[in-house]
Amino acid sequence: MEARVNGPANPDVITAIQHLYKAIHAGGADKRLLSLVHLRTSQINGCSPCVFASTEAAKKAGETDERLHNVVAWRETPFYTEEERAALALTEAATRLQDGAPGVTDEIWDAAADHFSEEQLNAIILEIAMTNFFNRINRTIREQAGKTW
């Protein structure tokens, strides 16, 4: 499989994306948590370059291989805190919005709101949205894993 597009995006788009990421990181959510959110979203969407990138970012932030390898099965493993579980549940619900899926239920929202401030929740939600954005672009243009942006 080869990428369908080989050039960088429009500079105005890149600037806008940089501003969004600045807002995410200013929200006070832990970098490792944001990496787990990015990884889980990308796993759901089957986006190999984002799985690769989030794993690399998480390792740089101090995440362990054990936890990274088990994000896909976070409910069945003992490796995640209640806070992380709430963020991962929110991630899955916000990502799986197809064909009548319930989306973010009050129960999922309340669990996340119990663990995070409004600023942190905004950062997590924006991370989920941005990851879904990139997942869809990457899947459309057949972007390859292993690139550094």
Side-chain angles (χ1 to χ4, degrees):
M1 183 170 77
E2 290 189 32
R4 291 178 169 148
V5 176
N6 294 314
N10 176 309
D12 291 336
V13 173
I14 292 170
T15 299
I17 290 166
Q18 289 171 336
H19 285 291
L20 289 168
Y21 275 113
K22 186 177 179 181
I24 290 169
H25 294 293
D30 182 74
K31 284 184 179 183
R32 287 180 17 169
L33 176 72
L34 292 173
S35 293
L36 294 177
V37 165
H38 191 280
L39 177 57
R40 186 64 192 122
T41 303
S42 299
Q43 288 172 335
I44 291 167
N45 291 325
C47 181
S48 65
C50 286
V51 167
F52 179 86
S54 58
T55 301
E56 292 297 306
K59 284 181 179 181
K60 286 179 184 174
E63 194 54 82
T64 67
D65 285 337
E66 180 179 58
R67 286 169 40 92
L68 291 172
H69 291 303
N70 285 282
V71 169
V72 70
W74 63 271
R75 285 182 177 87
E76 291 79 29
T77 63
F79 307 128
Y80 307 98
T81 66
E82 288 304 312
E83 179 179 81
E84 291 166 335
R85 291 175 185 282
L88 291 168
L90 179 63
T91 299
E92 289 186 358
T95 298
R96 292 185 167 134
L97 296 175
Q98 75 290 347
D99 301 325
V104 179
T105 63
D106 288 341
E107 179 182 19
I108 291 169
W109 179 261
D110 291 345
D114 285 346
H115 293 283
F116 301 102
S117 69
E118 189 169 320
E119 293 81 14
Q120 290 170 320
L121 276 172
N122 286 332
I124 293 166
I125 292 164
L126 189 52
E127 179 69 28
I128 295 164
M130 288 296 295
T131 305
N132 275 290
F133 170 77
F134 278 112
N135 290 168
R136 280 149 180 77
I137 291 171
N138 288 336
R139 293 289 308 269
T140 300
I141 66 170
R142 293 185 178 162
E143 187 63 67
Q144 301 297 295
K147 277 187 159 183
T148 55
W149 294 287

